[in-house]
Structures are given as C-alpha cells and as structure tokens.
Amino acid sequence: MMATQIEAPAAERWVVRKPEERRRTVAQQARRDRTLRIVLGLVIPVGMLVSWELWARMGWMDARFFSQPTAVAQRAARDIDSGLLWSETWTTIVRLVIGYVAGSVVGIVVGLLLSQSKILRWLVEPLIRGLYVIPKLALLPLFLLLFGIGEMPKLVFISLGTFYIVAFTTLSAAMMIPTAFHEVARSYGLNGRQKFRWLIVPASMPQIVSSLRLASGISILLVIAVEFVNAEEGVGYYTWHAWQLFVPDRMYVGVLTISILGLVFSALIGKLGSRLVRWADEEYEQQR
C-alpha cells in the first residue's frame, strides 16, 4: 500500500508579507514626547487647583486661610493692572540676573585657576571650603556691616551661593580629566596655554553647564530668602509683606509668581547650556 502525499493548498505554501508599520521619525517622536510630557506635567497641578476650588466653595477648607484659586487670580489681575506685581517682579529679576552672572563667572574662573595651580589650590581651597559650610543667611549681617544697607549686600549674598556651586564643580571637572587626554595633548606638542584652551575648557564644559543649571535654582532660593529678611522691594518682600498683613490671596499670588519665575529662569539657563554643549548632548543621545 503506497503512502499518498497530500499537497498543502497554494495559499499555505506562500509566505504573506504584510507592509511594515510606518515608524515615526526622530523629529516626530521628539514632538510627541514633548507634548506628552507637557500634558502629563499639567495633570496634577490642574487637578489640585480644581479640587482646591471645589473644596473651598463647599466649605471643606477655610477660605480665610486658603483663598480660592479664582480669588487669587482676581488679586493677580488687580496687582498686574496697578503695576505693583510687575515692578516687584522686575526688581527680583534684576537682582537674580546680576547675582547669578557675577557668581557664575567668578566661580568658573576660580575653579579653572585652582585646577591649574597646585600651590594656589593648597592656599585657597581650605578657606573656600571652610566658608562653604557656613549657612549663607548667617553671613548676611556681615555683608550688611561691610557694604551697608542697600543692594550690594543682597547681590553679594546671591553671588556667593552661586559661586560655591559653580567653583567646586568646575574644579572637580578639570581635575578629573582622564590621564589619557593629557598624554594625547603632550603627544601633539601642546603648550600649557594651548592645552588649557583645547583640552581643559572643552572637557570641563559639560560639568560646568550642569553646575550652572543647578545654581540657577539655588539663586532663586537665595534672592527670595534675602528679600524676605532684608528688602522693601521684590517678589519675596511682596509675599512676606502679604503674610504680615494677612492678605492670603496676595500671598498665594507671590508664591505662584516665584514658582513661574524660577521655572522660566531655569528653563532659559538649561536652553543656553544645551546650546553650549550641543556636541555632548548629541553624543549622549547616541549612546542611549
């Protein structure tokens, strides 16, 4: 009895290839991720505001202490129309920018100089580290004695906090450059100035930019802190004075303004830093 071979239907003998799904381009994926990040970032704040408004209207929260978001918005509109909020915010912005830029520039210069001179580092670094552990507000009375009552002690106070972060990060970044990089520089015959220009500064720049981003947030904290205790202008004074007069809706306007100011300032510093080290960000993205 011979075995018979049953042939499979023609449809089963052929491999059916389906068209591949259309993949998003890198730009499309970046736009999608950016939109999703913004939407998800707004979910919790919007939900909190809606809940806050409903609870205050239902009497579950004491509106004398927790003003309704609508009342806060109305107070903000009145203070903006009168020019009060604009003037206070502008005063804070000027202090913030001057103090931040001064502290950052001096921090970068000092950090790079200390990394290149062992004698200078042994001489100055212990003093800087000893002053670093002192709370900055504890030094404010000293600044008032040295510089008098005015803008100078406030600017020094803000600059000092920024200086420490940037200087220590710059010093560490320049000191941690791999030995192989220095050997390559010597093999190309670079002198001290050329090595500093083409090796030390570029290799340290990503860490320096990271310290600038971190220092932007610290600067916001410092400028608001100094306006709380020793100022008659600025968003910090605006917020603290509202608390002293027990005007809670204005106090919440000040808190919201501080939050927006800090968010915008940090975002601007981050954007500028990304442009300065675009090559490092692109290399990092390729390694992910």
Side-chain angles (χ1 to χ4, degrees):
M1 183 175 181
M2 299 179 59
T4 59
Q5 183 177 1
I6 301 176
E7 294 185 359
E12 297 182 3
R13 295 200 305 266
W14 294 95
V15 177
V16 179
R17 294 184 177 273
K18 297 181 179 180
E20 297 183 357
E21 296 182 359
R22 183 180 179 182
R23 297 182 178 180
R24 300 185 182 91
T25 64
V26 176
Q28 291 174 339
Q29 185 65 33
R31 287 195 299 268
R32 178 180 179 274
D33 292 344
R34 183 165 55 250
T35 303
L36 183 61
R37 182 175 58 186
I38 294 174
V39 172
L40 292 178
L42 291 175
V43 169
I44 295 179
V46 172
M48 292 177 62
L49 289 175
V50 172
S51 301
W52 183 3
E53 181 72 24
L54 292 177
W55 292 348
R57 289 182 179 274
M58 293 179 181
W60 295 351
M61 299 175 63
D62 193 341
R64 293 175 301 175
F65 301 98
F66 301 97
S67 301
Q68 300 173 6
T70 52
V72 174
Q74 292 172 1
R75 170 65 69 173
R78 290 196 298 270
D79 287 351
I80 291 174
D81 290 339
S82 65
L84 175 62
L85 188 57
W86 287 118
S87 63
E88 303 289 6
T89 303
W90 178 251
T91 301
T92 299
I93 291 174
V94 172
R95 289 172 179 158
L96 174 64
V97 172
I98 294 177
Y100 176 81
V101 172
S104 298
V105 171
V106 176
I108 293 173
V109 173
V110 170
L112 291 176
L113 289 178
L114 293 181
S115 68
Q116 301 305 300
S117 174
K118 186 182 298 184
I119 301 300
L120 185 62
R121 186 166 63 251
W122 290 347
L123 179 65
V124 178
E125 186 178 5
L127 176 62
I128 297 178
R129 293 192 180 275
L131 294 175
Y132 175 69
V133 298
I134 301 176
K136 306 304 175 291
L137 280 175
L139 296 175
L140 184 58
L142 177 61
F143 296 154
L144 293 174
L145 289 175
L146 293 175
F147 303 106
I149 299 176
E151 288 298 312
M152 183 58 68
K154 301 179 183 64
L155 298 177
V156 173
F157 177 80
I158 300 167
S159 301
L160 188 63
T162 305
F163 163 81
Y164 283 127
I165 297 175
V166 177
F168 286 143
T169 305
T170 302
L171 175 60
S172 300
M175 295 291 295
M176 294 176 63
I177 296 176
T179 305
F181 290 7
H182 293 277
E183 292 177 353
V184 171
R186 283 194 295 268
S187 67
Y188 276 97
L190 300 182
N191 56 32
R193 180 178 300 178
Q194 291 173 333
K195 188 172 75 170
F196 180 82
R197 169 65 180 84
W198 299 107
L199 173 60
I200 303 299
V201 174
S204 304
M205 190 57 67
Q207 288 80 5
I208 293 175
V209 169
S210 297
S211 70
L212 293 175
R213 292 170 179 168
L214 178 61
S216 64
I218 300 299
S219 299
I220 291 288
L221 296 177
L222 293 175
V223 69
I224 299 303
V226 74
E227 287 180 351
F228 272 4
V229 300
N230 182 46
E232 294 183 356
E233 290 179 299
V235 180
Y237 170 78
Y238 172 92
T239 306
W240 185 256
H241 189 59
W243 177 85
Q244 290 177 320
L245 297 178
F246 195 70
V247 186
D249 51 356
R250 175 170 288 175
M251 182 185 69
Y252 289 120
V253 172
V255 172
L256 181 61
T257 304
I258 293 170
S259 177
I260 295 174
L261 180 60
L263 182 64
V264 172
F265 185 67
S266 298
L268 289 176
I269 297 300
K271 194 70 175 179
L272 178 60
S274 297
R275 289 185 176 274
L276 290 176
V277 291
R278 182 181 300 176
W279 52 271
D281 291 341
E282 292 176 354
E283 182 178 357
Y284 173 75
E285 291 294 336
Q286 292 176 359
Q287 293 175 355
R288 293 179 61 182

